[in-house]
Amino acid sequence: MTHNRFLRFEDRIQHLVEGGFARLFAGYLHPREVAIQLARAMEDGTRASQDGERQVAPDVYIVRLSPRDHAALLSAHPDLAVALVDELVEMARIGGYSFAKTPEVRLLADNAVQAHQVLVRAQYAHPATETGVMKAAGEEVLSQPAPKAILIVNGKSHVPIERPILNLGRHRDNDVIFEDIHVSRHHAQIRLRFGKYVLFDLGSSAGTLVNGHPIQEAVLHSGDIIMLAGNSLIYVEEGQETSSDREDGSTTKPYVPLDTPTEQDVTED
């Protein structure tokens, strides 16, 4: 049900992609990918209002693009940031969210972003507003705690998932770094959404597999095997039985916390 909840929101913004939104990015970026990234950032950052009666979305959206895409888009659409604000307002309407203030979009050129890729981060303009909202949402957050989980990387290192967003790729700014030219610089991302960890492919060249199937996004379950260009990661949740219905009949033991701290032994490029 959790998976269906945010998929429904993303499906409902499809009409944006089929309208004027598409014309803003046609020929430069994939309109649906941009829309989904904005929607995810909005949804992941939404908190309950202080009175508990509304869901308030972040009001600052930082959109990072490759320098070439950034220059080309602003040349073709100098008012792109303003146009995206209108689209964010429509997304909030569709999702049933509100803003504490008029949203703002900041378009940044970033050498770490690949061509035809977009990375979006959402935040609140005033930390005090965010703190108040987060306190009001305390009971809701506690009702959906994050699973205690790890990634077993290439059968060697154990990487605890201890934050709501975990980035996987070849570039040194990732949380899990692969020294493999076949892994994209920003290959995939694991996000905490509604109490579940969800894996997203970030438009990688080699693709992302879960249990042998290519995915764009997938809710992770204990024992799932993730493949990034030949590199394996096993997702394991503490105390959870893992899948036993794989074709080869294999299973992965439930995660038991290690007695000694472990280190991530993948190296930076």
Side-chain angles (χ1 to χ4, degrees):
M1 178 175 291
T2 323
H3 181 54
N4 290 337
R5 177 180 171 184
F6 56 77
L7 280 184
R8 282 198 300 270
F9 176 49
E10 292 177 358
D11 286 342
R12 287 170 63 190
I13 66 173
Q14 178 63 31
H15 79 277
L16 291 179
V17 180
E18 297 168 349
F21 192 95
R23 291 190 291 274
L24 295 175
F25 296 97
Y28 302 101
L29 301 173
H30 195 296
R32 178 171 173 78
E33 178 61 22
V34 179
I36 292 300
Q37 289 285 348
L38 286 168
R40 288 172 182 166
M42 175 183 291
E43 197 173 37
D44 289 345
T46 297
R47 302 286 185 264
S49 62
Q50 292 186 358
D51 58 14
E53 295 183 358
R54 297 176 296 124
Q55 291 294 312
V56 181
D59 41 43
V60 177
Y61 293 78
I62 300 170
V63 179
R64 293 193 293 141
L65 306 163
S66 73
R68 174 180 287 185
D69 289 336
H70 182 268
L73 281 166
L74 288 185
S75 177
H77 304 286
D79 60 347
L80 179 60
V82 175
L84 284 177
V85 168
D86 293 337
E87 303 298 344
L88 284 170
V89 170
E90 176 63 9
M91 286 183 186
R93 186 193 67 78
I94 292 171
Y97 307 137
S98 60
F99 295 107
K101 60 182 290 293
T102 302
E104 173 189 357
V105 174
R106 301 173 187 172
L107 299 171
L108 303 180
D110 189 337
N111 288 319
V113 180
Q114 297 178 3
H116 309 304
Q117 183 185 28
V118 59
L119 298 177
V120 179
R121 179 167 60 87
Q123 62 189 42
Y124 291 86
H126 303 292
T129 300
E130 181 180 11
T131 302
V133 169
M134 290 179 69
K135 286 181 179 179
E139 292 184 1
E140 178 182 348
V141 172
L142 289 174
S143 69
Q144 294 182 319
K148 188 169 184 179
I150 64 167
L151 292 175
I152 302 173
V153 182
N154 285 326
K156 297 184 296 184
S157 61
H158 291 62
V159 181
I161 304 178
E162 298 175 328
R163 59 185 66 183
I165 298 177
L166 192 77
N167 292 300
L168 315 172
R170 182 163 47 88
H171 196 273
R172 66 185 62 192
D173 65 358
N174 289 285
D175 302 297
V176 181
I177 304 165
F178 297 87
E179 272 196 344
D180 184 340
I181 61 172
H182 300 100
V183 174
S184 293
R185 295 174 70 188
H186 298 96
H187 195 110
Q189 187 178 80
I190 294 175
R191 285 174 174 252
L192 179 64
R193 305 187 76 185
F194 306 112
K196 295 286 187 181
Y197 282 116
V198 184
L199 175 68
F200 299 95
D201 181 85
L202 298 178
S204 64
S205 56
T208 300
L209 306 180
V210 174
N211 300 329
H213 301 287
I215 62 98
Q216 291 299 314
E217 61 182 79
V219 176
L220 293 173
H221 301 90
S222 192
D224 282 348
I225 299 175
I226 303 165
M227 297 296 295
L228 308 182
N231 295 273
S232 69
L233 303 91
I234 302 177
Y235 172 81
V236 186
E237 291 182 9
E238 179 178 4
Q240 294 294 314
E241 294 295 331
T242 56
S243 175
S244 59
D245 57 0
R246 298 197 186 98
E247 293 180 1
D248 61 358
S250 63
T251 59
T252 303
K253 294 180 180 179
Y255 165 48
V256 178
L258 302 178
D259 294 331
T260 57
T262 58
E263 295 182 354
Q264 177 179 331
D265 65 358
V266 287
T267 58
E268 297 184 354
D269 53 0

